[in-house]
Amino acid sequence: MFDLRHAGLLILAVAAGFWLWRTLGLRDRALALVRQHCRQADVQLLDESIYLNGLRVKRSGWLRLTLARRYGFEFTVTGERRYPGYVELHGARLHHIELAPHPFPGGEGENPRDIPGQRLH
């Protein structure tokens, strides 16, 4: 027999399923943003994966609350060493992506002292 208790459990299960589906969609969005950022920064995303690092309620705009998700990942420049990075989404919006300090690929010749005619102040 279907009663009010069963209806409440059904609503709760549907809400949990929707939240999980939405969370996986946002994770895929964050992964795509990280891939694009790593390509632009000329670094390699390791393991082609990200992981949920933090979840909190943030204020976005005037009195509007949103869920902020922080995903961590690792990248490499030369393949020898791993560096951490993270991406933060506020709701579905990208807040920022940060890469740990790392050497830049092809860093030779980028020192201003090596460039002819470049003055140092």
Side-chain angles (χ1 to χ4, degrees), residues 11-88:
I11 290 172
L12 186 63
V14 167
F18 176 75
W19 186 79
L20 181 63
W21 176 69
R22 171 108 168 122
T23 299
L24 291 175
L26 290 174
R27 183 194 168 283
D28 290 342
R29 174 172 162 65
L31 180 59
L33 290 168
V34 167
R35 282 181 182 146
Q36 178 184 6
H37 187 79
C38 286
R39 241 188 333 271
Q40 290 173 350
D42 200 21
V43 297
Q44 180 185 0
L45 176 64
L46 292 175
D47 306 326
E48 287 293 316
S49 66
I50 60 176
Y51 55 91
L52 186 64
N53 201 359
L55 190 64
R56 64 178 185 235
V57 177
K58 294 279 288 192
R59 192 174 305 277
S60 70
W62 195 73
L63 295 177
R64 184 175 174 178
L65 297 177
T66 186
L67 202 55
R69 292 171 174 86
R70 183 175 173 147
Y71 296 95
F73 60 92
E74 290 185 329
F75 67 96
T76 186
V77 179
T78 61
E80 294 176 6
R81 188 160 179 220
R82 291 176 175 257
Y83 298 95
Y86 71 89
V87 58
E88 191 167 311

Side-chain angles (χ1 to χ4, degrees), residues 66-121:
T66 186
L67 202 55
R69 292 171 174 86
R70 183 175 173 147
Y71 296 95
F73 60 92
E74 290 185 329
F75 67 96
T76 186
V77 179
T78 61
E80 294 176 6
R81 188 160 179 220
R82 291 176 175 257
Y83 298 95
Y86 71 89
V87 58
E88 191 167 311
L89 296 178
H90 289 186
R93 290 186 178 166
L94 172 66
H95 185 260
H96 68 277
I97 298 176
E98 186 170 316
L99 302 176
H102 61 280
F104 289 97
E108 299 168 5
E110 294 181 7
N111 187 349
R113 295 173 201 215
D114 296 340
I115 301 173
Q118 182 73 28
R119 288 177 37 158
L120 296 175
H121 299 283

